Amino acid sequence: MNTTTDENDIFFGDIPPEINALLQQGIAVHASDPRLAENHFREALARRPDILCSYRCLVKHYNRQRQFDNAITTVRAWLAEAVRQAGSPADWREWQDASSAMLGALKAFAFVELRRGCEEEAQAAIARLQQLDPEDGTGVSVLAALAH
């Protein structure tokens, strides 16, 4: 489904070509035209809110732009969609296990909360990630080091 035509494209996995095109276009212009990049990422989400990599792109965009309120809103939507797809509890504090998609969204949540200065919430999310991912597949140890 996802066909990359440029060696500089980022591989997002098996996603529809039209969503891949929007994400690639957003990435290509994020430095030169942040507003256009945001439009591409938001369009990808509007078309297919079930494609989780679109949330990641938009959260990263908002972080780069230091738009932390927009980033936290987007990461919360990402978390909600990831748990909806997994059929897990909405509150990450209640997770008994987690998919890699859920862990990625929770790591982004912790990072954004750190950037927003919400230390307590960030630390709680980091601690939960460490419990759910003791092998550190998500790289939460790097985030934990940043938090100290």
Side-chain angles (χ1 to χ4, degrees):
M1 209 189 276
N2 182 13
T3 57
T4 56
T5 57
D6 185 321
E7 66 183 36
N8 295 322
D9 281 357
I10 294 175
F11 182 69
F12 290 111
D14 190 21
I15 65 173
E18 65 275 8
I19 302 303
N20 183 55
L22 286 165
L23 298 179
Q24 300 299 341
Q25 291 167 1
I27 290 165
V29 299
H30 81 271
S32 61
D33 193 341
R35 180 170 287 163
L36 181 58
E38 178 183 4
N39 289 342
H40 287 307
F41 299 143
R42 292 179 68 71
E43 179 64 24
L45 278 171
R47 288 186 189 186
R48 291 289 306 271
D50 61 316
I51 308 268
L52 299 177
C53 57
S54 300
Y55 294 94
R56 184 172 185 263
C57 289
L58 188 56
V59 168
K60 289 185 83 151
H61 169 77
Y62 286 140
N63 271 322
R64 280 188 218 105
Q65 298 300 310
R66 303 185 60 79
Q67 295 177 15
F68 304 126
D69 290 341
N70 288 337
I72 198 64
T73 298
T74 304
V75 83
R76 286 180 179 142
W78 177 10
L79 273 167
E81 181 58 24
V83 299
R84 185 197 67 76
Q85 290 180 19
S88 295
D91 186 344
W92 50 266
R93 293 166 192 85
E94 297 175 14
W95 297 351
Q96 298 304 307
D97 59 5
S99 67
S100 61
M102 292 164 56
L103 293 172
L106 185 56
K107 182 181 174 190
F109 174 80
F111 182 76
V112 171
E113 288 294 59
L114 275 177
R115 301 269 334 250
R116 292 178 62 215
C118 300
E119 299 285 329
E120 188 174 316
E121 192 74 355
Q123 291 289 357
I126 289 167
R128 191 70 184 121
L129 277 164
Q130 291 171 323
Q131 292 169 343
L132 293 166
D133 182 24
E135 305 289 317
D136 197 27
T138 60
V140 69
S141 60
V142 174
L143 191 54
L146 285 173
H148 286 92

